[in-house]
Amino acid sequence: MRTLVGTNMNLQGASLSSVSVGSTHKSTRPTRHYSRRVRIGMIGLKSTLNCIDNSGALVVECVNILKNKVTNGWGSVGDEIVCVVKRARPVSAATQASVNAVKVRRGDVRRAVIVRTRKNVRRPDGSVIRFDDNAAVLLNNKREMLGTRIGGLVSADLRMKGWGKIVSLAPKVV
Amino acid sequence: MLSNLCRGATRLMSTATKTTQTKVASAPYPFSKTALIKPAPYTPPPQAVREGRGLMEYLHKSLPTPEKQTLLRTMFSRHSPTRLLPGSIITVTCEHAPTSFTGVLLAIRRRGTDTSFTVRNIINRTGVEMQYFVNSPHLKDIKVVQKPPKGRMRRAKLFYLRDSPEKMSMIAGGRR
């Protein structure tokens, strides 16, 4: 009986000490001992996003998330990222000559803002939104859009993060 | 007392067409709009609840507002004749913008006060799913636009619709 009680106590002690959010049995990252889960968005290194403006890019690949002291390298809707253009629409000579819109090419490194994610995003009222793909809109270094039109749906969380111009240009905001 | 007077006065002078906000939650005195209604006195929870017995049941009855409780009872209980069925087309109205979202009800997650449901739609060639929590004060109204095809779907959770847009369009097309 004494040994049984002893083992029970040991087990309890072990379980208490190993309780931490983000259970450690798989990941090699150091466990964080506060109760809020940090990782919210899911766009990180090597994530591909569709480019939905008319800058010429079709698919961009994320290289870095800017201003991510909190999210540890993961981006969500409204976060600014640095990305590489993986696929772009072919730029003809005529459009090359005209100065109307900046056309990007394959291999360009640009900044972008994430406008849709496949990962759920929580709204302040508790509701959750999820899209079927990841999408971004290209920007220049001054946080202005490169293209002039947006061809697709954007998330309404952009407005909260300060991208009102993009929200106003979008044909549909959900 | 004074706050009640002010409340009554502003109600008289209000010209807003919104009725839901100005209506008192439980319409205590339906025969006069200017009657002064004292707020219900605070009743402490029964002794059993304070000791911890029957706590969750008490919370399920007390936490949601009366309108939300009727909503839960009529639309989200398992046996109500007017319950929401997955596969029906739903319009959800919110208080903040964007105010309404229509789509196919994919799943209902019944957890008492945390009950929520997922609605899916394809907007501008992109699939969008929204999960709404029933007890949220921002959720104003849920309307059924169309019942599920053939009366019911054979699944409680229709997540397979994420991979087959043709089945989604079959439901939306209104095949009975």
Side-chain angles (χ1 to χ4, degrees):
Chain A
M1 283 299 284
R2 248 192 322 177
T3 49
L4 273 172
V5 168
T7 48
N8 275 343
M9 293 273 284
N10 284 339
L11 276 171
Q12 276 184 10
S15 62
L16 278 172
S17 65
S18 66
V19 159
S20 57
V21 176
S23 62
T24 55
H25 65 280
K26 272 185 205 165
S27 70
T28 51
R29 270 184 290 123
T31 47
R32 291 170 191 252
H33 293 282
Y34 43 84
S35 55
R36 191 171 63 91
R37 194 167 295 182
V38 179
R39 204 171 60 203
I40 306 165
M42 281 308 274
I43 306 291
L45 183 65
K46 297 295 267 180
S47 305
T48 49
L49 301 104
N50 296 330
C51 185
I52 59 167
D53 57 11
N54 63 346
S55 60
L58 289 171
V59 177
V60 296
E61 189 184 74
C62 175
V63 164
N64 188 18
I65 316 277
L66 300 171
K67 289 192 201 155
N68 68 330
K69 287 191 195 124
V70 181
T71 52
N72 198 32
W74 299 105
S76 182
V77 173
D79 289 337
E80 218 180 317
I81 63 170
V82 180
C83 57
V84 173
V85 178
K86 282 291 186 185
R87 265 199 319 152
R89 271 191 222 109
V91 183
S92 67
T95 48
Q96 221 173 12
S98 80
V99 200
N100 279 347
V102 180
K103 293 289 178 194
V104 299
R105 288 175 179 187
R106 211 184 98 96
D108 272 7
V109 176
R110 300 281 177 173
R111 293 204 176 177
V113 61
I114 304 172
V115 301
R116 291 200 295 256
T117 47
R118 223 180 231 211
K119 177 83 178 114
N120 335 27
V121 172
R122 290 206 76 152
R123 296 259 166 96
D125 70 333
S127 58
V128 175
I129 190 163
R130 214 185 73 100
F131 296 92
D132 267 6
D133 65 346
N134 303 314
V137 163
L138 291 186
L139 305 170
N140 64 12
N141 287 14
K142 295 196 205 76
R143 287 169 67 113
E144 292 159 15
M145 271 181 65
L146 282 184
T148 49
R149 276 195 291 269
I150 298 183
L153 195 58
V154 300
S155 174
D157 302 288
L158 282 177
R159 208 181 272 125
M160 285 190 292
K161 299 247 174 138
W163 300 98
K165 183 131 192 301
I166 295 178
V167 170
S168 59
L169 276 174
K172 180 88 180 156
V173 182
V174 178
Chain B
M1 255 319 248
L2 188 64
S3 63
N4 277 344
L5 279 169
C6 291
R7 206 173 352 131
T10 49
R11 287 226 181 94
L12 279 174
M13 292 189 284
S14 123
T15 49
T17 49
K18 286 188 270 190
T19 48
T20 45
Q21 279 182 2
T22 52
K23 224 194 301 186
V24 180
S26 49
Y29 194 64
F31 305 105
S32 167
K33 286 181 222 169
T34 57
L36 295 175
I37 300 137
K38 286 188 190 159
Y42 168 69
T43 48
Q47 182 62 29
V49 171
R50 268 180 285 169
E51 284 167 11
R53 301 193 304 273
L55 176 65
M56 291 313 287
E57 201 190 321
Y58 177 75
L59 285 177
H60 290 163
K61 293 211 179 89
S62 61
L63 279 178
T65 62
E67 296 102 355
K68 292 292 180 188
Q69 285 195 21
T70 50
L71 192 69
L72 280 170
R73 226 181 311 121
T74 53
M75 286 197 168
F76 290 94
S77 72
R78 286 182 200 277
H79 305 290
S80 154
T82 51
R83 67 186 182 276
L84 287 180
L85 291 165
S88 41
I89 300 188
I90 300 271
T91 298
V92 180
T93 319
C94 283
E95 271 187 6
H96 55 80
T99 41
S100 77
F101 187 82
T102 310
V104 178
L105 182 67
L106 288 191
I108 299 177
R109 179 182 187 263
R110 292 187 177 86
R111 297 285 190 278
T113 317
D114 298 324
T115 302
S116 69
F117 58 98
T118 320
V119 185
R120 181 180 167 83
N121 198 356
I122 300 182
I123 303 173
N124 284 33
R125 299 176 302 276
T126 318
V128 185
E129 274 182 34
M130 286 222 62
Q131 183 182 14
Y132 292 100
F133 286 83
V134 178
N135 284 307
S136 165
H138 295 265
L139 186 73
K140 269 202 313 201
D141 195 23
I142 306 170
K143 274 197 187 57
V144 179
V145 173
Q146 197 190 96
K147 295 229 173 96
K150 296 188 182 167
R152 64 175 187 111
M153 302 296 277
R154 291 185 142 263
R155 290 270 164 297
K157 306 277 189 285
L158 310 176
F159 298 132
Y160 64 87
L161 290 178
R162 288 174 184 160
D163 301 317
S164 45
E166 62 276 359
K167 295 199 176 109
M168 277 274 289
S169 41
M170 262 174 56
I171 295 177
R175 287 256 299 270
R176 293 208 144 253

mmCIF file of all heavy atoms in Angstrom, chain A residues 116 122-123 125-133 151-153 156 171-174, chain B residues 94 96-98 101 120 123-133 136 138 162:
data_model
loop_
_atom_site.group_PDB
_atom_site.id
_atom_site.type_symbol
_atom_site.label_atom_id
_atom_site.label_comp_id
_atom_site.label_asym_id
_atom_site.label_seq_id
_atom_site.Cartn_x
_atom_site.Cartn_y
_atom_site.Cartn_z
ATOM 1 N N ARG A 116 -5.547 36.994 -47.640
ATOM 2 C CA ARG A 116 -6.421 35.838 -47.363
ATOM 3 C C ARG A 116 -5.522 34.724 -46.857
ATOM 4 O O ARG A 116 -4.432 34.550 -47.370
ATOM 5 C CB ARG A 116 -7.071 35.308 -48.649
ATOM 6 C CG ARG A 116 -8.087 36.176 -49.303
ATOM 7 C CD ARG A 116 -8.972 35.346 -50.221
ATOM 8 N NE ARG A 116 -8.320 34.763 -51.343
ATOM 9 C CZ ARG A 116 -8.407 35.211 -52.591
ATOM 10 N NH1 ARG A 116 -9.070 36.302 -52.839
ATOM 11 N NH2 ARG A 116 -7.807 34.577 -53.577
ATOM 12 N N ARG A 122 -9.382 34.646 -36.260
ATOM 13 C CA ARG A 122 -10.473 35.003 -35.355
ATOM 14 C C ARG A 122 -10.756 36.488 -35.442
ATOM 15 O O ARG A 122 -9.845 37.303 -35.489
ATOM 16 C CB ARG A 122 -10.113 34.663 -33.913
ATOM 17 C CG ARG A 122 -10.061 33.197 -33.667
ATOM 18 C CD ARG A 122 -10.335 32.911 -32.241
ATOM 19 N NE ARG A 122 -11.749 33.054 -31.963
ATOM 20 C CZ ARG A 122 -12.383 32.393 -31.005
ATOM 21 N NH1 ARG A 122 -11.718 31.564 -30.255
ATOM 22 N NH2 ARG A 122 -13.655 32.581 -30.784
ATOM 23 N N ARG A 123 -12.029 36.802 -35.427
ATOM 24 C CA ARG A 123 -12.434 38.195 -35.403
ATOM 25 C C ARG A 123 -12.656 38.612 -33.949
ATOM 26 O O ARG A 123 -12.842 37.770 -33.096
ATOM 27 C CB ARG A 123 -13.749 38.343 -36.176
ATOM 28 C CG ARG A 123 -13.618 38.010 -37.639
ATOM 29 C CD ARG A 123 -13.529 39.241 -38.463
ATOM 30 N NE ARG A 123 -13.093 38.992 -39.799
ATOM 31 C CZ ARG A 123 -13.916 38.831 -40.835
ATOM 32 N NH1 ARG A 123 -15.208 38.856 -40.653
ATOM 33 N NH2 ARG A 123 -13.422 38.646 -42.035
ATOM 34 N N ASP A 125 -15.182 39.617 -32.451
ATOM 35 C CA ASP A 125 -16.433 39.166 -31.843
ATOM 36 C C ASP A 125 -16.462 37.665 -31.650
ATOM 37 O O ASP A 125 -17.457 37.107 -31.233
ATOM 38 C CB ASP A 125 -17.628 39.578 -32.719
ATOM 39 C CG ASP A 125 -17.669 38.801 -34.011
ATOM 40 O OD1 ASP A 125 -16.602 38.357 -34.468
ATOM 41 O OD2 ASP A 125 -18.760 38.622 -34.578
ATOM 42 N N GLY A 126 -15.368 36.994 -31.941
ATOM 43 C CA GLY A 126 -15.295 35.554 -31.721
ATOM 44 C C GLY A 126 -15.518 34.729 -32.951
ATOM 45 O O GLY A 126 -15.205 33.547 -32.960
ATOM 46 N N SER A 127 -16.052 35.320 -34.013
ATOM 47 C CA SER A 127 -16.287 34.518 -35.212
ATOM 48 C C SER A 127 -14.959 34.250 -35.905
ATOM 49 O O SER A 127 -13.969 34.938 -35.694
ATOM 50 C CB SER A 127 -17.268 35.205 -36.158
ATOM 51 O OG SER A 127 -16.799 36.468 -36.530
ATOM 52 N N VAL A 128 -14.986 33.232 -36.745
ATOM 53 C CA VAL A 128 -13.756 32.719 -37.339
ATOM 54 C C VAL A 128 -13.946 32.708 -38.846
ATOM 55 O O VAL A 128 -14.997 32.328 -39.338
ATOM 56 C CB VAL A 128 -13.507 31.294 -36.825
ATOM 57 C CG1 VAL A 128 -12.322 30.674 -37.506
ATOM 58 C CG2 VAL A 128 -13.304 31.306 -35.331
ATOM 59 N N ILE A 129 -12.931 33.124 -39.575
ATOM 60 C CA ILE A 129 -13.046 33.111 -41.036
ATOM 61 C C ILE A 129 -11.876 32.356 -41.638
ATOM 62 O O ILE A 129 -10.761 32.382 -41.114
ATOM 63 C CB ILE A 129 -13.126 34.544 -41.610
ATOM 64 C CG1 ILE A 129 -13.492 34.487 -43.083
ATOM 65 C CG2 ILE A 129 -11.844 35.312 -41.405
ATOM 66 C CD1 ILE A 129 -13.983 35.762 -43.638
ATOM 67 N N ARG A 130 -12.165 31.686 -42.730
ATOM 68 C CA ARG A 130 -11.168 30.834 -43.365
ATOM 69 C C ARG A 130 -11.397 30.887 -44.857
ATOM 70 O O ARG A 130 -12.546 30.798 -45.308
ATOM 71 C CB ARG A 130 -11.438 29.400 -42.891
ATOM 72 C CG ARG A 130 -10.275 28.514 -42.705
ATOM 73 C CD ARG A 130 -10.801 27.149 -42.375
ATOM 74 N NE ARG A 130 -11.352 26.561 -43.568
ATOM 75 C CZ ARG A 130 -10.723 25.665 -44.323
ATOM 76 N NH1 ARG A 130 -9.525 25.272 -43.984
ATOM 77 N NH2 ARG A 130 -11.293 25.182 -45.381
ATOM 78 N N PHE A 131 -10.349 31.051 -45.629
ATOM 79 C CA PHE A 131 -10.509 31.063 -47.088
ATOM 80 C C PHE A 131 -9.939 29.774 -47.653
ATOM 81 O O PHE A 131 -9.276 29.024 -46.971
ATOM 82 C CB PHE A 131 -9.785 32.277 -47.670
ATOM 83 C CG PHE A 131 -10.374 33.575 -47.228
ATOM 84 C CD1 PHE A 131 -9.893 34.233 -46.108
ATOM 85 C CD2 PHE A 131 -11.431 34.146 -47.920
ATOM 86 C CE1 PHE A 131 -10.446 35.420 -45.687
ATOM 87 C CE2 PHE A 131 -11.983 35.341 -47.501
ATOM 88 C CZ PHE A 131 -11.496 35.983 -46.383
ATOM 89 N N ASP A 132 -10.149 29.566 -48.953
ATOM 90 C CA ASP A 132 -9.667 28.332 -49.560
ATOM 91 C C ASP A 132 -8.250 28.444 -50.072
ATOM 92 O O ASP A 132 -7.699 27.468 -50.574
ATOM 93 C CB ASP A 132 -10.581 27.949 -50.727
ATOM 94 C CG ASP A 132 -11.673 27.001 -50.274
ATOM 95 O OD1 ASP A 132 -11.779 26.752 -49.063
ATOM 96 O OD2 ASP A 132 -12.403 26.506 -51.141
ATOM 97 N N ASP A 133 -7.669 29.635 -50.042
ATOM 98 C CA ASP A 133 -6.304 29.762 -50.535
ATOM 99 C C ASP A 133 -5.636 30.900 -49.792
ATOM 100 O O ASP A 133 -6.263 31.640 -49.039
ATOM 101 C CB ASP A 133 -6.284 30.035 -52.048
ATOM 102 C CG ASP A 133 -6.909 31.377 -52.388
ATOM 103 O OD1 ASP A 133 -7.591 31.962 -51.521
ATOM 104 O OD2 ASP A 133 -6.730 31.840 -53.518
ATOM 105 N N GLY A 151 -8.094 41.900 -57.917
ATOM 106 C CA GLY A 151 -9.038 41.006 -58.585
ATOM 107 C C GLY A 151 -9.457 39.848 -57.717
ATOM 108 O O GLY A 151 -9.166 38.712 -58.021
ATOM 109 N N GLY A 152 -10.125 40.120 -56.616
ATOM 110 C CA GLY A 152 -10.552 38.992 -55.792
ATOM 111 C C GLY A 152 -11.047 39.453 -54.450
ATOM 112 O O GLY A 152 -11.086 40.633 -54.136
ATOM 113 N N LEU A 153 -11.364 38.462 -53.658
ATOM 114 C CA LEU A 153 -11.915 38.704 -52.338
ATOM 115 C C LEU A 153 -10.799 39.055 -51.365
ATOM 116 O O LEU A 153 -9.705 38.534 -51.489
ATOM 117 C CB LEU A 153 -12.532 37.374 -51.928
ATOM 118 C CG LEU A 153 -13.477 37.221 -50.807
ATOM 119 C CD1 LEU A 153 -14.648 38.084 -51.012
ATOM 120 C CD2 LEU A 153 -13.904 35.780 -50.774
ATOM 121 N N ALA A 156 -11.861 41.151 -44.264
ATOM 122 C CA ALA A 156 -12.179 42.424 -43.610
ATOM 123 C C ALA A 156 -11.233 42.731 -42.463
ATOM 124 O O ALA A 156 -11.234 43.844 -41.940
ATOM 125 C CB ALA A 156 -13.614 42.401 -43.101
ATOM 126 N N PRO A 171 -12.915 44.350 -54.797
ATOM 127 C CA PRO A 171 -14.292 44.226 -55.270
ATOM 128 C C PRO A 171 -15.218 43.624 -54.226
ATOM 129 O O PRO A 171 -16.405 43.914 -54.209
ATOM 130 C CB PRO A 171 -14.171 43.302 -56.483
ATOM 131 C CG PRO A 171 -12.903 42.577 -56.298
ATOM 132 C CD PRO A 171 -11.990 43.461 -55.531
ATOM 133 N N LYS A 172 -14.650 42.808 -53.357
ATOM 134 C CA LYS A 172 -15.516 42.195 -52.342
ATOM 135 C C LYS A 172 -14.715 41.991 -51.079
ATOM 136 O O LYS A 172 -13.575 41.511 -51.124
ATOM 137 C CB LYS A 172 -16.031 40.845 -52.877
ATOM 138 C CG LYS A 172 -16.916 40.121 -51.931
ATOM 139 C CD LYS A 172 -18.364 40.508 -52.079
ATOM 140 C CE LYS A 172 -19.166 39.714 -51.066
ATOM 141 N NZ LYS A 172 -20.400 40.267 -50.680
ATOM 142 N N VAL A 173 -15.299 42.378 -49.966
ATOM 143 C CA VAL A 173 -14.637 42.239 -48.668
ATOM 144 C C VAL A 173 -15.523 41.370 -47.795
ATOM 145 O O VAL A 173 -16.706 41.632 -47.675
ATOM 146 C CB VAL A 173 -14.460 43.627 -47.999
ATOM 147 C CG1 VAL A 173 -13.746 43.478 -46.688
ATOM 148 C CG2 VAL A 173 -13.723 44.561 -48.906
ATOM 149 N N VAL A 174 -14.946 40.337 -47.218
ATOM 150 C CA VAL A 174 -15.764 39.475 -46.361
ATOM 151 C C VAL A 174 -15.209 39.496 -44.940
ATOM 152 O O VAL A 174 -14.021 39.317 -44.761
ATOM 153 C CB VAL A 174 -15.771 38.031 -46.882
ATOM 154 C CG1 VAL A 174 -16.585 37.151 -45.969
ATOM 155 C CG2 VAL A 174 -16.378 37.994 -48.269
ATOM 156 N N CYS B 94 -25.145 39.836 -38.969
ATOM 157 C CA CYS B 94 -24.317 40.306 -37.858
ATOM 158 C C CYS B 94 -24.636 41.750 -37.587
ATOM 159 O O CYS B 94 -25.195 42.436 -38.416
ATOM 160 C CB CYS B 94 -22.845 40.283 -38.257
ATOM 161 S SG CYS B 94 -22.126 38.710 -38.235
ATOM 162 N N HIS B 96 -22.087 44.028 -36.922
ATOM 163 C CA HIS B 96 -21.044 44.855 -37.523
ATOM 164 C C HIS B 96 -20.890 44.479 -38.981
ATOM 165 O O HIS B 96 -21.403 43.476 -39.438
ATOM 166 C CB HIS B 96 -19.735 44.652 -36.770
ATOM 167 C CG HIS B 96 -19.322 43.227 -36.700
ATOM 168 N ND1 HIS B 96 -18.705 42.578 -37.736
ATOM 169 C CD2 HIS B 96 -19.462 42.302 -35.736
ATOM 170 C CE1 HIS B 96 -18.471 41.320 -37.384
ATOM 171 N NE2 HIS B 96 -18.919 41.127 -36.181
ATOM 172 N N ALA B 97 -20.181 45.298 -39.716
ATOM 173 C CA ALA B 97 -19.966 45.012 -41.136
ATOM 174 C C ALA B 97 -18.929 43.908 -41.278
ATOM 175 O O ALA B 97 -17.993 43.862 -40.509
ATOM 176 C CB ALA B 97 -19.484 46.272 -41.841
ATOM 177 N N PRO B 98 -18.963 43.044 -42.280
ATOM 178 C CA PRO B 98 -20.032 42.884 -43.261
ATOM 179 C C PRO B 98 -21.260 42.222 -42.648
ATOM 180 O O PRO B 98 -21.144 41.238 -41.946
ATOM 181 C CB PRO B 98 -19.402 41.952 -44.314
ATOM 182 C CG PRO B 98 -18.323 41.252 -43.612
ATOM 183 C CD PRO B 98 -17.874 42.095 -42.482
ATOM 184 N N PHE B 101 -23.995 37.081 -44.212
ATOM 185 C CA PHE B 101 -23.231 36.035 -44.881
ATOM 186 C C PHE B 101 -24.175 34.890 -45.162
ATOM 187 O O PHE B 101 -24.862 34.404 -44.262
ATOM 188 C CB PHE B 101 -22.090 35.582 -43.963
ATOM 189 C CG PHE B 101 -21.137 34.636 -44.617
ATOM 190 C CD1 PHE B 101 -20.127 35.110 -45.429
ATOM 191 C CD2 PHE B 101 -21.238 33.277 -44.424
ATOM 192 C CE1 PHE B 101 -19.240 34.242 -46.044
ATOM 193 C CE2 PHE B 101 -20.362 32.402 -45.025
ATOM 194 C CZ PHE B 101 -19.351 32.888 -45.835
ATOM 195 N N ARG B 120 -20.387 27.739 -45.257
ATOM 196 C CA ARG B 120 -19.442 27.838 -46.360
ATOM 197 C C ARG B 120 -20.114 28.427 -47.590
ATOM 198 O O ARG B 120 -21.248 28.082 -47.905
ATOM 199 C CB ARG B 120 -18.905 26.445 -46.703
ATOM 200 C CG ARG B 120 -17.900 26.473 -47.836
ATOM 201 C CD ARG B 120 -17.397 25.090 -48.140
ATOM 202 N NE ARG B 120 -16.677 25.050 -49.381
ATOM 203 C CZ ARG B 120 -15.400 25.377 -49.522
ATOM 204 N NH1 ARG B 120 -14.716 25.761 -48.482
ATOM 205 N NH2 ARG B 120 -14.822 25.330 -50.692
ATOM 206 N N ILE B 123 -17.391 32.757 -52.981
ATOM 207 C CA ILE B 123 -17.583 34.158 -53.355
ATOM 208 C C ILE B 123 -16.440 34.538 -54.245
ATOM 209 O O ILE B 123 -15.275 34.332 -53.889
ATOM 210 C CB ILE B 123 -17.558 35.056 -52.096
ATOM 211 C CG1 ILE B 123 -18.631 34.593 -51.107
ATOM 212 C CG2 ILE B 123 -17.804 36.498 -52.455
ATOM 213 C CD1 ILE B 123 -18.550 35.312 -49.793
ATOM 214 N N ASN B 124 -16.739 35.087 -55.441
ATOM 215 C CA ASN B 124 -15.664 35.500 -56.363
ATOM 216 C C ASN B 124 -14.665 34.373 -56.615
ATOM 217 O O ASN B 124 -13.460 34.553 -56.536
ATOM 218 C CB ASN B 124 -14.894 36.711 -55.795
ATOM 219 C CG ASN B 124 -15.669 37.987 -55.953
ATOM 220 O OD1 ASN B 124 -16.884 37.978 -55.891
ATOM 221 N ND2 ASN B 124 -14.965 39.082 -56.151
ATOM 222 N N ARG B 125 -15.182 33.180 -56.857
ATOM 223 C CA ARG B 125 -14.379 31.992 -57.155
ATOM 224 C C ARG B 125 -13.483 31.559 -55.994
ATOM 225 O O ARG B 125 -12.585 30.743 -56.179
ATOM 226 C CB ARG B 125 -13.504 32.195 -58.408
ATOM 227 C CG ARG B 125 -14.313 32.454 -59.659
ATOM 228 C CD ARG B 125 -13.382 32.753 -60.833
ATOM 229 N NE ARG B 125 -12.515 33.900 -60.549
ATOM 230 C CZ ARG B 125 -12.857 35.157 -60.726
ATOM 231 N NH1 ARG B 125 -14.048 35.440 -61.181
ATOM 232 N NH2 ARG B 125 -12.009 36.132 -60.448
ATOM 233 N N THR B 126 -13.685 32.116 -54.815
ATOM 234 C CA THR B 126 -12.898 31.674 -53.656
ATOM 235 C C THR B 126 -13.844 31.123 -52.607
ATOM 236 O O THR B 126 -14.858 31.748 -52.303
ATOM 237 C CB THR B 126 -12.150 32.863 -53.018
ATOM 238 O OG1 THR B 126 -11.611 33.673 -54.032
ATOM 239 C CG2 THR B 126 -11.059 32.382 -52.102
ATOM 240 N N GLY B 127 -13.491 29.978 -52.060
ATOM 241 C CA GLY B 127 -14.315 29.439 -51.000
ATOM 242 C C GLY B 127 -14.052 30.173 -49.707
ATOM 243 O O GLY B 127 -12.918 30.479 -49.374
ATOM 244 N N VAL B 128 -15.114 30.495 -48.982
ATOM 245 C CA VAL B 128 -14.985 31.189 -47.701
ATOM 246 C C VAL B 128 -15.792 30.409 -46.687
ATOM 247 O O VAL B 128 -16.923 30.026 -46.964
ATOM 248 C CB VAL B 128 -15.571 32.619 -47.764
ATOM 249 C CG1 VAL B 128 -15.303 33.346 -46.475
ATOM 250 C CG2 VAL B 128 -15.045 33.375 -48.937
ATOM 251 N N GLU B 129 -15.197 30.167 -45.534
ATOM 252 C CA GLU B 129 -15.948 29.512 -44.458
ATOM 253 C C GLU B 129 -15.952 30.424 -43.266
ATOM 254 O O GLU B 129 -14.912 30.971 -42.898
ATOM 255 C CB GLU B 129 -15.254 28.218 -44.050
ATOM 256 C CG GLU B 129 -15.663 27.058 -44.885
ATOM 257 C CD GLU B 129 -15.008 25.798 -44.421
ATOM 258 O OE1 GLU B 129 -14.781 25.639 -43.211
ATOM 259 O OE2 GLU B 129 -14.716 24.979 -45.290
ATOM 260 N N MET B 130 -17.124 30.565 -42.637
ATOM 261 C CA MET B 130 -17.180 31.392 -41.437
ATOM 262 C C MET B 130 -17.781 30.565 -40.328
ATOM 263 O O MET B 130 -18.749 29.839 -40.545
ATOM 264 C CB MET B 130 -18.055 32.619 -41.691
ATOM 265 C CG MET B 130 -17.380 33.632 -42.560
ATOM 266 S SD MET B 130 -17.627 35.308 -42.011
ATOM 267 C CE MET B 130 -16.890 35.293 -40.420
ATOM 268 N N GLN B 131 -17.198 30.685 -39.158
ATOM 269 C CA GLN B 131 -17.725 29.989 -37.999
ATOM 270 C C GLN B 131 -18.289 31.039 -37.056
ATOM 271 O O GLN B 131 -17.572 31.953 -36.638
ATOM 272 C CB GLN B 131 -16.611 29.207 -37.310
ATOM 273 C CG GLN B 131 -17.112 28.397 -36.146
ATOM 274 C CD GLN B 131 -15.990 27.670 -35.442
ATOM 275 O OE1 GLN B 131 -14.818 27.954 -35.657
ATOM 276 N NE2 GLN B 131 -16.348 26.755 -34.578
ATOM 277 N N TYR B 132 -19.563 30.918 -36.745
ATOM 278 C CA TYR B 132 -20.226 31.879 -35.869
ATOM 279 C C TYR B 132 -20.584 31.217 -34.563
ATOM 280 O O TYR B 132 -21.019 30.073 -34.534
ATOM 281 C CB TYR B 132 -21.520 32.390 -36.507
ATOM 282 C CG TYR B 132 -21.303 33.246 -37.714
ATOM 283 C CD1 TYR B 132 -21.438 32.721 -38.989
ATOM 284 C CD2 TYR B 132 -20.964 34.582 -37.590
ATOM 285 C CE1 TYR B 132 -21.234 33.502 -40.091
ATOM 286 C CE2 TYR B 132 -20.768 35.365 -38.691
ATOM 287 C CZ TYR B 132 -20.909 34.820 -39.947
ATOM 288 O OH TYR B 132 -20.711 35.596 -41.035
ATOM 289 N N PHE B 133 -20.416 31.975 -33.491
ATOM 290 C CA PHE B 133 -20.792 31.476 -32.172
ATOM 291 C C PHE B 133 -22.179 31.991 -31.838
ATOM 292 O O PHE B 133 -22.451 33.176 -31.952
ATOM 293 C CB PHE B 133 -19.753 31.914 -31.138
ATOM 294 C CG PHE B 133 -18.497 31.132 -31.266
ATOM 295 C CD1 PHE B 133 -17.536 31.485 -32.192
ATOM 296 C CD2 PHE B 133 -18.284 30.002 -30.495
ATOM 297 C CE1 PHE B 133 -16.388 30.737 -32.341
ATOM 298 C CE2 PHE B 133 -17.144 29.246 -30.638
ATOM 299 C CZ PHE B 133 -16.198 29.617 -31.564
ATOM 300 N N SER B 136 -22.895 34.895 -29.304
ATOM 301 C CA SER B 136 -22.241 36.182 -29.489
ATOM 302 C C SER B 136 -23.296 37.279 -29.604
ATOM 303 O O SER B 136 -24.259 37.130 -30.355
ATOM 304 C CB SER B 136 -21.403 36.134 -30.767
ATOM 305 O OG SER B 136 -21.044 37.435 -31.155
ATOM 306 N N HIS B 138 -23.018 39.869 -31.180
ATOM 307 C CA HIS B 138 -22.966 40.421 -32.523
ATOM 308 C C HIS B 138 -23.809 39.643 -33.517
ATOM 309 O O HIS B 138 -24.093 40.135 -34.597
ATOM 310 C CB HIS B 138 -21.525 40.429 -33.036
ATOM 311 C CG HIS B 138 -20.640 41.338 -32.262
ATOM 312 N ND1 HIS B 138 -20.374 42.628 -32.656
ATOM 313 C CD2 HIS B 138 -19.968 41.145 -31.115
ATOM 314 C CE1 HIS B 138 -19.568 43.186 -31.767
ATOM 315 N NE2 HIS B 138 -19.305 42.315 -30.821
ATOM 316 N N ARG B 162 -15.689 20.638 -49.003
ATOM 317 C CA ARG B 162 -14.556 21.521 -49.297
ATOM 318 C C ARG B 162 -13.816 21.053 -50.545
ATOM 319 O O ARG B 162 -13.201 21.838 -51.241
ATOM 320 C CB ARG B 162 -13.578 21.518 -48.127
ATOM 321 C CG ARG B 162 -14.097 22.257 -46.938
ATOM 322 C CD ARG B 162 -13.157 22.087 -45.778
ATOM 323 N NE ARG B 162 -13.700 22.721 -44.603
ATOM 324 C CZ ARG B 162 -13.330 22.441 -43.367
ATOM 325 N NH1 ARG B 162 -12.409 21.533 -43.133
ATOM 326 N NH2 ARG B 162 -13.878 23.059 -42.356
#
